[in-house]
Amino acid sequence: MCLFCDIADHTFKDAYIVDETEKTITFLDINPANEGHVLIIPKMHVDSILDLPDDYVLEITAVSRKIVRAYKEVYCAPGYGVMQNGGANCEFGHFHFHVFPRLPGDGYDWVYPEGEKEVSAEVAAKLSKAIS
Ligand SMILES: [Zn+2]
């Protein structure tokens, strides 16, 4: 279905696989923010968390915690980053969690778009209403 599906079913042989569970596979990102940057993917082709069953969400979260523990051991990393772009912003069309170690002075940074953004009780209320 896609490259990530091929990695998940082991038909693509060149991925550097770090971990595999019943519902996930984790491999090195080929364009890492830092050494050890991995992608955790579900073994099902969806592009959004909205289409991912809860048990997959939970397993991906549990795997990300295992990876962060490994960063402490391997890199003595005092921090980490987790990032996920979904839906129309899912770069490969297959849901994936970016997880990478953060090291002092590593130069990684968020880039926010310019402009004012509202932070208010009204914003919180409209989101809260949509959840309930
Ligand atoms: Zn796929």
Side-chain angles (χ1 to χ4, degrees):
M1 207 170 211
C2 78
L3 174 62
F4 286 5
C5 286
D6 291 343
I7 292 171
D9 69 12
H10 298 276
T11 55
F12 181 82
K13 304 288 188 193
D14 292 333
Y16 296 104
I17 294 170
V18 173
D19 185 65
E20 184 167 11
T21 66
E22 180 189 346
K23 296 177 177 62
T24 72
I25 194 158
T26 301
F27 53 94
L28 294 180
D29 191 314
I30 60 166
N31 186 25
N34 277 330
E35 182 183 306
H37 181 161
V38 299
L39 302 180
I40 305 169
I41 66 169
K43 292 180 177 176
M44 68 182 312
H45 186 89
V46 298
D47 71 359
S48 171
I49 198 167
L50 298 175
D51 299 320
L52 202 57
D54 286 350
D55 54 345
Y56 280 79
V57 174
L58 294 173
E59 196 155 301
I60 288 169
T61 304
V63 170
S64 67
R65 186 168 51 192
K66 284 196 303 188
I67 296 296
V68 169
R69 283 192 188 114
Y71 290 158
K72 278 193 158 306
E73 181 177 329
V74 174
Y75 301 112
C76 299
Y80 62 92
V82 174
M83 186 171 63
Q84 203 279 314
N85 299 306
N89 295 93
C90 184
E91 301 99 328
F92 298 99
H94 190 126
F95 183 94
H96 55 285
F97 251 37
H98 292 263
V99 184
F100 48 95
R102 294 297 315 276
L103 302 168
D106 64 11
Y108 181 84
D109 199 5
W110 293 91
V111 178
Y112 283 35
E114 297 289 325
E116 291 293 316
K117 290 92 179 182
E118 185 175 341
V119 179
S120 67
E122 288 76 21
V123 171
K126 70 182 173 186
L127 289 172
S128 183
K129 184 179 176 191
I131 291 168
S132 55

